[in-house]
Amino acid sequence: MLGGNIQATIEVLAESYKNVIGESEQIFTEVKNITGWLDMVSGDSGRLNFYAKVEESTHVFLCDYFTIDFTAENARLVIEGKCYDIRYIDNPMQRNQHLEIYLKYMG
C-alpha cells in the first residue's frame, strides 16, 4: 500500500451555466477522497503584461490505485483549499499499483 500524507478531494463537473451577466459558471461535486503525495514538476512566479505577478506550476499527485469513473477533462483535484486542473491520469505500465495524476495549479 502506497499511503501518503496529503488528503485530496476529486471533484467532477456537475453543471455548467451562464449567470445573469453572461459569465460561465461551473458547479463541481465531490466524488472521492484520496491520500497521497504532491510534488512540483515545474513552476514559476513571473510577471506578465501590466506587471501582474502570476503563479504558474505543474504538479504530480501519487496515490494508491483506484478505479476511475471520470475523465481528466471534467475533473479537478482540491488539496488544502487549492484547486488543480487534472491534465492526465497515468496508471504506470497498467499494473494497477498506483496512479500518477498530472495537474496544473489553478488557485
Side-chain angles (χ1 to χ4, degrees), residues 62-104:
L62 302 169
C63 63
D64 287 325
Y65 176 82
F66 60 90
T67 304
I68 299 169
D69 56 354
F70 56 87
T71 64
E73 290 79 25
N74 70 347
R76 68 182 184 184
L77 207 63
V78 178
I79 303 169
E80 297 176 351
K82 297 178 181 175
C83 290
Y84 297 84
D85 185 31
I86 297 177
R87 298 299 189 169
Y88 181 71
I89 303 170
D90 186 23
N91 178 6
M93 298 172 55
Q94 304 302 312
R95 298 195 62 192
N96 298 347
Q97 291 181 343
H98 75 280
L99 294 176
E100 297 174 1
I101 304 173
Y102 292 89
L103 309 166
K104 181 173 182 184

Side-chain angles (χ1 to χ4, degrees), residues 17-72:
Y17 65 94
K18 299 246 184 225
N19 65 17
V20 293
I21 60 172
E23 295 174 319
S24 180
E25 293 200 19
Q26 299 174 328
I27 298 175
F28 286 85
T29 192
E30 293 182 10
V31 294
K32 187 165 188 67
N33 291 313
I34 55 178
T35 303
W37 285 278
L38 180 68
D39 194 19
M40 182 180 284
V41 176
S42 68
D44 192 5
S45 185
R47 298 190 184 275
L48 298 177
N49 294 337
F50 307 109
Y51 299 102
K53 191 170 185 180
V54 177
E55 178 181 349
E56 289 188 6
S57 60
T58 57
H59 295 75
V60 62
F61 189 83
L62 302 169
C63 63
D64 287 325
Y65 176 82
F66 60 90
T67 304
I68 299 169
D69 56 354
F70 56 87
T71 64

